[in-house]
């Protein structure tokens, strides 16, 4: 099994390239960040899904992502 992170899109097994940082303000504190991973193909779809709900906070290349110290 590979240690390479995979895309969070349902059924996708492609390598992740992007980190989509989000939170649901109804249940998370403002500084809390949940993450989904996305391949190139699913980045826009997953970003739109989170964006229309007002959850999307940031989209960052996986190679540049550093999880905040929480």
């Amino acid at each position: 099994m590979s240690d390479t992170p995979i895309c969070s899109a349902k059924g996708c097994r492609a390598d992740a390239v992007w980190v989509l940082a989000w939170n649901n303000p109804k249940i998370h504190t403002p500084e809390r960040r949940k993450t989904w991973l996305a391949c190139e193909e699913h980045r826009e779809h997953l970003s739109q899904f989170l964006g229309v709900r007002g959850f999307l906070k940031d989209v960052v290349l996986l190679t540049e992502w550093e999880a905040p110290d929480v």
Side-chain angles (χ1 to χ4, degrees):
M1 183 170 179
S2 174
D3 287 338
T4 304
I6 60 165
C7 182
S8 298
K10 186 175 182 177
C12 185
R13 305 308 297 165
D15 290 351
V17 178
W18 297 95
V19 175
L20 286 63
W22 63 278
N23 87 3
N24 179 341
K26 292 181 180 177
I27 60 174
H28 300 128
T29 58
E31 65 278 356
R32 175 85 187 268
R33 292 295 179 265
K34 303 286 282 180
T35 57
W36 281 356
L37 302 177
C39 64
E40 285 292 346
E41 181 180 349
H42 291 111
R43 180 181 62 92
E44 187 63 30
H45 171 74
L46 293 174
S47 294
Q48 286 180 356
F49 180 89
L50 293 168
V52 298
R53 290 158 177 80
F55 295 175
L56 187 63
K57 302 300 179 191
D58 205 2
V59 178
V60 181
L61 281 168
L62 180 60
T63 57
E64 297 174 5
W65 175 256
E66 290 185 23
D69 295 331
V70 178

